[in-house]
Amino acid sequence: MNAPVNPKDLAQAQPSRRDVVVASALVGGTLLVGCSPADIMSAGSKVEVGAFGPFIKIAPDGVVTVISKHIEFGQGNHAGLAAIVAEELDADWTKVQVEQAPANAKLYANGALGAQLTGGSSAISNSWEQLRKAGAGARAMFVQAAANKWNVAVGEITVKDSVVTHTSGKTAGFGELLADAAKVPAATDVKLKDPKTFTLIGTARVRRKDSQAKSDGTARYTQDVRLPDMLTAVVAHAPRFGAKLKSLDVAEAKKVPGVVDVFEIPTGVAVVAQNTYAARMGREALKVEWDEDKAEKRGSAAIAQLFKDVAAGKNTETKWEAFDQRGDATTLASAKGADVFETTYEFPYLAHATMEPMNCVAAVDGSKVKLTFGSQGQTLDQLAAAKIVGCLPGSVEIETLFAGGSFGRRANFQSDYVAECVHIAKKVGKGRPVKLVWTREDDMQAGYFRPLTIHAVKVQLDKDGYPAAWRHRIVSQSIMKGSPMPAGKGPDQTAIEGTAGSPYLKATPIVDAQVALPDVGVPVLWWRSVGATHTAFVMEHTIDQLAAKAGKDPIEYRRALYTKAGADRHLATLNLAVEKASAPTVGWTRGVAVHESFGSVVAQVAEVKLEDGVPRVGRVVTAIDCGVAISPDQIAAQMEGGTCYGLSAALFGEVTLTDGQVGQTNFDRYRVLRINEAPLVETNIVPSGNPPSGVGEPGTPVIGPAVANALFALNKTATTRLPFVRSEA
């Protein structure tokens, strides 16, 4: 999941009457008076906390284990989380390892999201103070233990690389002092280091702790799970969203060798077998008829046209919500002339296309549930399982494994594939484990998508060529509609973030920005960088076109607007990227884009040329302001990965529907960036003393507009629809 939620909204959020009723039912009808949402979500949990708190375990040999509440699915956050603890603990980095936390919302909730959940590029930022205090607290316990043992003052003791030292020369390792330190009461108030004294954070030593395991095959993913007597299941889903099962003939499927059972579940038909091959063959043998009376039957072209009509004001049934209004924009709607710019942008549905499709292992024995898989949203998954089985949410045990990517797909409010697995395991019963496997085709055609979105933009320039009035209309589907998470005031932020709060709008005297969110039967979800996937493109590509209309250099045009808006971070990040890019490479054309998302500002200078009419990106110079840089190496890796992911979508990404059916099934029809097409990405970090902000997603949305701006500089043709390269599928 990647949608940021305002912490102020979380602080003010209260369980609804329905939430209380549901929670009451889950805990056997007992009303939990005075309980917080975290109390309710963790009810029934049996997680034990050690002497050094929920985030740190220390072994007699001095090995420090950092307990991570966040899943590792390729983004490399475990190294940064461990480094935060190790820095304040003054632990020997070579003896620090990471272990995945159990599921418990009270102990391990994401402070930015209100649940145990990895998303919103918040793993590091929401853990920063929490883990610093955990490390400093444990360090204080060792110092106090040594002071008691040696009968000396605490102020005479130092710690370095897991060794406690007194000014007299006495030393003791963490292992030697472990028993005594564990008896010291945890400090309620600890002093944190001055960041200027950091010796680990910000250095090249902070590198991934999982590289060896992922290289030699010992890292454990869901597909690696092999349990005694385990069954494998697949699910036949309806070909159109919203269709329901009408009739089912299982006779031929049950004849397939290895098939154990076939039965209906709420989302389709489950085929349970001894192995994956048998399950898939059994599914192919099914005779299923679907009731499509309430199914979504429109194609993506028809949905796009509907959204365009809404944006143009031709559909009066759709509700508009304002998210930025300033001054009187009434005359802009009909304004014409040389000083007026107007265009419409279209963005398609996108698939998450994770390298590891969805999967889960579940065992249900009465009210006892054990889930083993790469859980991105443990609290959501516990709730889903508890409702199906009828147990306490906290009693649902989750063993979180590595996962092969997510980009938002593995965390959704329905816990779709997890719920399927629990339904199947409940039917199988007796605690027999079942592994549910979604194929690539299953996820491409029955999963969730980045919403199709339309932007209509109209800008009137002043006498100096800068925006005097800006009219903006966004039409998309709501990701947060029906969400159990607090929505706060105003429209769905996931649809407007990046346009809302833009320095370009802040620098414009008159603004009329509104969003409409029509209901469509296509399931949508956050996708790496969420709203910024389209808002960054619109704002940045529009700025280059406005600069050209005004006869100004696009970089200088941005600098002027940033200065006017007081966007100092944007200006500094842009300046660093431009400085590091130096002179253009001969034969290539440059495009620039800058965007803020998840608290970080990213600027990119992309060098582009056309090869047989197709954009080719050679070099991308990136600058990022992300606060304290805990692991520069990992920040660079995320900028590289995010850039390639965003470039892949901008060049090729598109999910199309024909009469409601998804046309893409695998990478033969949903093209992604190949290694030989990947650009050289250079990362430069803006020095900062601010707390860390997001890194996993901010690198994704900037490359698309940077490429579009390079093409605009090359041939003076604007890009109003993505992808750049249209599929023939």
Side-chain angles (χ1 to χ4, degrees):
M1 189 203 92
N2 304 287
V5 177
N6 191 330
K8 294 181 180 178
D9 293 335
L10 290 170
Q12 298 168 0
Q14 296 294 328
S16 67
R17 182 175 181 276
R18 180 181 179 280
D19 293 334
V20 173
V21 172
V22 170
S24 177
L26 288 172
V27 296
T30 303
L31 185 61
L32 302 179
V33 179
C35 289
S36 68
D39 287 324
I40 296 172
M41 295 306 101
S42 59
S45 175
K46 296 180 180 179
V47 175
E48 296 182 0
V49 177
F52 301 103
F55 297 103
I56 300 173
K57 292 194 299 187
I58 301 176
D61 61 0
V63 171
V64 175
T65 300
V66 176
I67 311 299
S68 172
K69 64 184 182 182
H70 293 290
I71 183 177
E72 160 56 42
F73 40 41
Q75 76 279 47
N77 63 29
H78 281 184
L81 296 170
I84 297 172
V85 173
E87 179 68 68
E88 293 288 352
L89 180 58
D90 280 314
D92 182 347
W93 180 241
T94 65
K95 295 182 178 180
V96 175
Q97 60 185 23
V98 184
E99 181 180 297
Q100 191 67 53
N104 185 297
K106 189 171 184 178
L107 294 175
Y108 299 114
N110 183 323
L113 300 174
Q116 189 172 353
L117 194 62
T118 301
S121 291
S122 63
I124 296 295
S125 61
N126 96 94
S127 303
W128 175 242
E129 287 292 323
Q130 186 178 53
L131 293 186
R132 289 186 71 190
K133 290 178 180 178
R139 180 187 184 279
M141 293 169 73
F142 279 101
V143 169
Q144 187 62 59
N148 294 344
K149 184 175 182 178
W150 298 333
N151 195 27
V152 298
V154 167
E156 298 173 355
I157 294 175
T158 58
V159 183
K160 182 180 180 181
D161 290 337
S162 299
V163 176
V164 182
T165 303
H166 182 248
T167 53
S168 65
K170 291 181 179 179
T171 63
F174 282 174
E176 299 172 66
L177 292 169
L178 183 60
D180 293 331
K183 298 175 185 177
V184 174
T188 56
D189 185 26
V190 292
K191 183 178 180 180
L192 301 179
K193 288 184 177 180
D194 182 335
K196 295 177 182 178
T197 67
F198 286 162
T199 59
L200 176 64
I201 285 176
T203 71
R205 291 197 293 145
V206 184
R207 291 180 177 265
R208 301 181 69 125
K209 291 285 185 177
D210 56 13
S211 298
Q212 183 64 43
K214 288 183 175 179
S215 299
D216 62 23
T218 57
R220 194 163 173 246
Y221 292 79
T222 308
Q223 209 59 27
D224 296 319
V225 176
R226 300 288 187 272
L227 300 175
D229 208 25
M230 185 176 75
L231 297 171
T232 301
V234 297
V235 174
H237 299 100
R240 290 184 174 87
F241 302 113
K244 301 293 183 183
L245 184 65
K246 185 175 183 180
S247 66
L248 173 65
D249 183 348
V250 303
E252 293 302 314
K254 286 190 172 182
K255 292 179 183 179
V256 174
V259 170
V260 174
D261 202 359
V262 182
F263 48 85
E264 180 184 357
I265 61 173
T267 52
V269 180
V271 180
V272 185
Q274 298 289 349
N275 53 64
T276 306
Y277 180 78
R280 293 184 66 178
M281 292 302 100
R283 181 169 65 175
E284 290 185 15
L286 287 174
K287 296 180 180 178
V288 186
E289 185 179 359
W290 302 97
D291 178 356
E292 298 184 334
D293 284 350
K294 297 182 180 180
E296 177 59 77
K297 299 185 182 70
R298 289 172 292 186
S300 48
I303 296 171
Q305 187 58 54
L306 168 65
F307 285 12
K308 290 177 184 177
D309 289 344
V310 172
K314 298 178 182 179
N315 185 311
T316 57
E317 297 178 1
T318 305
K319 176 186 175 183
W320 286 99
E321 293 182 90
F323 61 88
D324 194 344
Q325 288 191 312
R326 185 167 56 258
D328 184 3
T330 53
T331 60
L332 180 58
S334 58
K336 298 182 183 300
D339 62 342
V340 175
F341 167 85
E342 187 171 12
T343 193
T344 299
Y345 299 96
E346 179 180 345
F347 302 89
Y349 289 112
L350 293 176
H352 297 83
T354 60
M355 288 297 98
E356 179 189 23
M358 305 304 104
N359 45 26
C360 179
V361 176
V364 178
D365 188 0
S367 61
K368 184 179 180 181
V369 184
K370 168 72 183 291
L371 304 178
T372 307
F373 73 115
S375 177
Q376 182 178 354
Q378 290 86 346
T379 301
L380 297 176
D381 297 334
Q382 284 182 307
L383 272 173
K387 290 178 181 178
I388 294 166
V389 176
C391 64
L392 298 172
S395 70
V396 176
E397 182 184 354
I398 298 181
E399 180 183 357
T400 300
L401 308 180
F402 288 120
S406 174
F407 315 119
R409 174 64 183 91
R410 297 183 190 277
N412 59 78
F413 301 131
Q414 290 72 33
S415 292
D416 61 331
Y417 64 97
V418 181
E420 286 187 344
C421 192
V422 175
H423 274 295
I424 297 167
K426 180 183 177 182
K427 175 75 172 177
V428 170
K430 298 182 180 180
R432 189 174 187 181
V434 178
K435 178 190 290 184
L436 173 66
V437 176
W438 277 42
T439 63
R440 172 78 56 208
E441 290 78 6
D442 290 331
D443 201 36
M444 283 281 188
Q445 298 194 299
Y448 289 79
F449 307 94
R450 194 282 304 269
L452 185 155
T453 303
I454 300 295
H455 285 246
V457 179
K458 191 172 187 179
V459 181
Q460 188 167 33
L461 303 182
D462 62 20
K463 61 181 179 60
D464 296 319
Y466 295 104
W470 191 305
R471 185 178 189 272
H472 205 120
R473 297 292 183 267
I474 301 175
V475 186
S476 187
Q477 286 177 250
S478 174
I479 292 174
M480 300 300 287
K481 184 177 182 179
S483 159
M485 301 175 75
K489 297 180 180 179
D492 186 341
Q493 292 296 310
T494 66
I496 62 176
E497 56 186 355
T499 295
S502 168
Y504 307 134
L505 296 191
K506 291 179 181 178
T508 304
I510 298 173
V511 176
D512 176 18
Q514 301 182 42
V515 62
L517 303 168
D519 288 329
V520 175
V522 180
V524 294
L525 189 64
W526 31 68
W527 187 98
R528 192 175 186 178
S529 75
V530 203
T533 60
H534 49 89
T535 60
F537 189 96
V538 171
M539 303 307 290
E540 289 303 304
H541 197 32
T542 295
I543 286 300
D544 265 46
Q545 294 172 75
L546 295 180
K549 193 174 185 66
K552 299 180 184 295
D553 176 80
I555 294 175
E556 294 304 325
Y557 197 76
R558 282 176 173 80
R559 284 171 172 158
L561 291 174
Y562 294 156
T563 300
K564 187 175 181 180
D568 296 340
R569 293 177 66 211
H570 288 71
L571 182 59
T573 308
L574 170 64
N575 287 342
L576 180 59
V578 172
E579 173 194 340
K580 296 297 183 180
S582 62
T585 304
V586 176
W588 297 77
T589 302
R590 284 186 166 176
V592 174
V594 186
H595 193 73
E596 179 180 3
S597 61
F598 304 95
S600 296
V601 180
V602 172
Q604 290 190 323
V605 180
E607 295 188 342
V608 183
K609 66 180 178 180
L610 290 174
E611 293 184 351
D612 298 324
V614 176
R616 173 79 179 191
V617 184
R619 177 180 177 231
V620 180
V621 180
T622 301
I624 179 171
D625 179 347
C626 57
V628 173
I630 294 174
S631 174
D633 177 72
Q634 197 54 39
I635 292 170
Q638 283 299 295
M639 291 301 100
E640 293 161 10
T643 297
C644 288
Y645 193 74
L647 179 59
S648 182
L651 287 174
F652 313 118
E654 182 174 21
V655 169
T656 58
L657 282 76
T658 302
D659 298 326
Q661 291 187 262
V662 175
Q664 289 66 35
T665 56
N666 211 314
F667 292 130
D668 57 335
R669 296 184 185 179
Y670 190 80
R671 184 178 172 186
V672 296
L673 196 72
R674 272 41 174 195
I675 291 178
N676 66 307
E677 297 169 324
L680 171 66
V681 180
E682 303 169 17
T683 300
N684 305 277
I685 301 171
V686 177
S688 174
N690 294 325
S693 48
V695 170
E697 298 170 80
T700 300
V702 187
I703 186 63
V707 173
N709 289 338
L711 295 176
F712 182 64
L714 180 65
N715 55 29
K716 302 306 177 185
T717 301
T719 301
T720 57
R721 191 194 191 286
L722 290 181
F724 292 110
V725 182
R726 301 297 303 279
S727 171
E728 297 178 0

